[in-house]
């Protein structure tokens, strides 16, 4: 007897949805709610149903692939890229996979090798751009591509106007970090930041810190980083500058974990105990912070949410249903570096 060939109609019947919903769910269309997508996937698995991807691509004109570009500093060894972006990259790839899409990843830095015309070349349906905003040439290049009609979503863009970007909730994260230091007994809290950096998140984090300090009636003190130095060296120099100023301090909120690691090293080499004499909190939630001496308290964005929001924002843009979502939730990860004055790590 001839075996019945399972179709999308069978999946739709089992899942209790329409055939068009089955097609959208299996294609990763963000218009389909998560409970419905889960029900459709379960029905497809039960019936051992698989879509003909080649036929689907011919029918829709889509590649089923999303490109991801990680912008590096020009000439930077890729192993030295901020580990934050590797965590974000993993979350993006996982989210794309859950939506039925493959990812094409490229690390780019030098002006003469920048490449982002994935849609024109039929390599991908859209593009997600992440990475350092210190490479302004690269960001200008990818902004221009977006302005010329390509489907692009940006993480932490140095430009706000006219771009589809997503960032962490930087002000709320800074408020959490500062409130944590205050609650643990610190009062003379300096902030290592940059008022002129292309990293817009630094300014947002400093603004959140200042707002929380003013709520408590506490004075604020900003220490500018030297953007010409590598991140850890920026932290070391900022601590040196802070000490040389002669202003008393008992805690430091640092707007970036990589800079905070340099802060911890400089304090250690100067014999200043953390957290007993100085408490330290960073921002970004990079994994190496957990293995610092002492382990670094940090504000961590929800990487899973970040990856999902970036992918869904891009898919909605491709589908012509833009999303207003902008901010990724954050949480405080308390560790030994901020236990309180007079305490051992």
């Amino acid at each position: 007897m001839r075996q019945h060939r399972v179709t999308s109609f069978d999946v739709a019947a089992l899942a209790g949805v329409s055939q068009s919903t089955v097609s959208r769910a299996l294609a990763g269309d963000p218009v389909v709610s998560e409970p419905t997508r889960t029900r459709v996937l379960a029905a497809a698995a039960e019936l051992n149903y698989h879509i003909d991807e080649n036929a689907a691509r011919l029918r829709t004109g889509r590649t089923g692939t999303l490109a991801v570009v990680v912008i590096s500093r020009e000439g930077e060894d890729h192993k030295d890229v901020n580990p934050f972006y590797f965590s974000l990259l993993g979350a993006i790839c996982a989210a794309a996979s859950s939506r039925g899409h493959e990812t094409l990843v490229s690390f780019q830095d030098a002006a003469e090798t920048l490449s982002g015309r994935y849609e024109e070349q039929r390599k991908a349906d859209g593009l997600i751009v992440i990475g350092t905003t210190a490479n302004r040439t690269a960001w200008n290049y990818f902004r221009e591509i977006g302005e010329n009609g390509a489907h692009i979503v940006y993480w932490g863009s140095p430009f706000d106007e006219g771009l589809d970007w997503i960032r962490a909730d930087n002000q709320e994260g800074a408020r959490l970090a500062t409130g944590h230091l205050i609650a643990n007994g610190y009062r003379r809290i300096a902030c290592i930041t940059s008022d002129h950096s292309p990293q817009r998140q630094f300014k947002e984090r400093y603004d959140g810190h200042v707002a929380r300090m003013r709520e408590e009636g506490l004075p604020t003190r900003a220490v500018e980083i030297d953007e010409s130095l590598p991140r850890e060296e920026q932290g070391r120099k900022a601590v040196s500058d802070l000490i040389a100023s002669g202003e008393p301090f008992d805690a430091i909120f640092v707007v970036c974990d990589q800079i905070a690691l340099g802060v911890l090293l400089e304090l250690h080499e100067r014999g200043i105990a953390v957290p007993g004499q100085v408490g330290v909190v960073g921002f970004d939630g990079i994994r190496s912070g957990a293995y610092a001496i002492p382990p670094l308290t940090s504000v961590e964005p929800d990487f899973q949410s970040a990856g999902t929001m970036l992918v869904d924002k891009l898919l909605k843009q491709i589908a012509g249903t833009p999303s207003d979502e902008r901010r990724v939730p954050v949480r405080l990860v308390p560790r030994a570096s901020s236990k309180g004055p007079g305490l051992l790590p």
Side-chain angles (χ1 to χ4, degrees), residues 204-254:
E204 292 177 352
R205 293 168 188 179
Y206 177 65
D207 288 346
H209 163 75
V210 169
R212 188 68 182 85
M213 292 287 282
R214 286 177 177 167
E215 286 175 8
E216 299 293 330
L218 297 173
T220 59
R221 169 76 164 94
V223 184
E224 283 280 328
I225 58 173
D226 183 342
E227 290 280 359
S228 68
L229 298 174
R231 287 292 187 222
E232 287 191 11
E233 291 304 313
Q234 290 175 7
R236 296 180 73 114
K237 185 176 186 299
V239 170
S240 297
D241 292 344
L242 179 58
I243 292 172
S245 74
E247 292 190 39
F249 65 97
D250 62 4
I252 304 174
F253 168 54
V254 193

Side-chain angles (χ1 to χ4, degrees), residues 8-64:
S8 61
F9 177 82
D10 300 305
V11 177
L14 182 58
V17 299
S18 67
Q19 282 182 271
S20 62
T21 298
V22 169
S23 298
R24 289 193 181 99
L26 295 179
D29 191 326
V31 171
V32 179
S33 70
E34 201 56 42
T36 300
R37 187 192 319 279
T38 300
R39 197 162 71 250
V40 170
L41 291 174
E46 182 177 335
L47 295 173
N48 197 28
Y49 174 77
H50 302 280
I51 61 172
D52 185 334
E53 294 186 1
N54 289 328
R57 288 169 184 170
L58 286 172
R59 184 173 64 253
T60 63
R62 302 273 172 80
T63 66

Side-chain angles (χ1 to χ4, degrees), residues 69-133:
V69 167
V70 184
I71 297 176
S72 310
R73 292 172 182 262
E74 190 162 354
E76 180 179 51
D77 192 317
H78 293 153
K79 68 178 175 57
D80 295 325
V81 169
N82 187 335
F84 171 86
Y85 294 115
F86 288 108
S87 296
L88 183 57
L89 175 61
I92 292 169
C93 292
S97 179
S98 73
R99 299 294 188 257
H101 285 71
E102 297 180 355
T103 44
L104 176 63
V105 179
S106 173
F107 287 75
Q108 301 189 27
D109 56 86
E112 63 273 14
T113 60
L114 295 174
S115 176
R117 303 191 182 280
Y118 294 94
E119 289 181 74
E120 292 179 24
Q121 298 168 358
R122 300 291 299 133
K123 292 180 178 179
D125 301 319
L127 171 61
I128 296 172
V129 178
I130 67 176
T132 178
T133 52

Side-chain angles (χ1 to χ4, degrees), residues 176-187 189 212 216 218 332 338-341:
L176 287 172
T178 305
H180 168 76
L181 287 168
I182 293 169
N184 281 4
Y186 300 103
R187 293 295 180 271
I189 306 169
R212 188 68 182 85
E216 299 293 330
L218 297 173
L332 182 78
S338 58
K339 279 186 173 180

Side-chain angles (χ1 to χ4, degrees), residues 1 25 55 99 231 283 326 328:
M1 180 182 290
R99 299 294 188 257
R231 287 292 187 222
F283 201 121
R326 293 285 197 187
V328 172

Side-chain angles (χ1 to χ4, degrees), residues 149-219:
H151 297 108
I152 305 184
V153 172
Y154 309 81
W155 172 269
S157 164
F159 315 110
D160 278 349
E161 296 299 323
L163 300 184
D164 230 353
W165 55 262
I166 284 178
R167 296 191 191 114
D169 192 345
N170 292 305
Q171 289 204 22
E172 175 60 21
R175 291 176 61 86
L176 287 172
T178 305
H180 168 76
L181 287 168
I182 293 169
N184 281 4
Y186 300 103
R187 293 295 180 271
R188 298 188 297 272
I189 306 169
C191 179
I192 293 178
T193 184
S194 173
D195 197 36
H196 309 292
S197 173
Q199 308 263 10
R200 284 181 176 261
Q201 63 265 32
F202 288 1
K203 178 67 165 57
E204 292 177 352
R205 293 168 188 179
Y206 177 65
D207 288 346
H209 163 75
V210 169
R212 188 68 182 85
M213 292 287 282
R214 286 177 177 167
E215 286 175 8
E216 299 293 330
L218 297 173

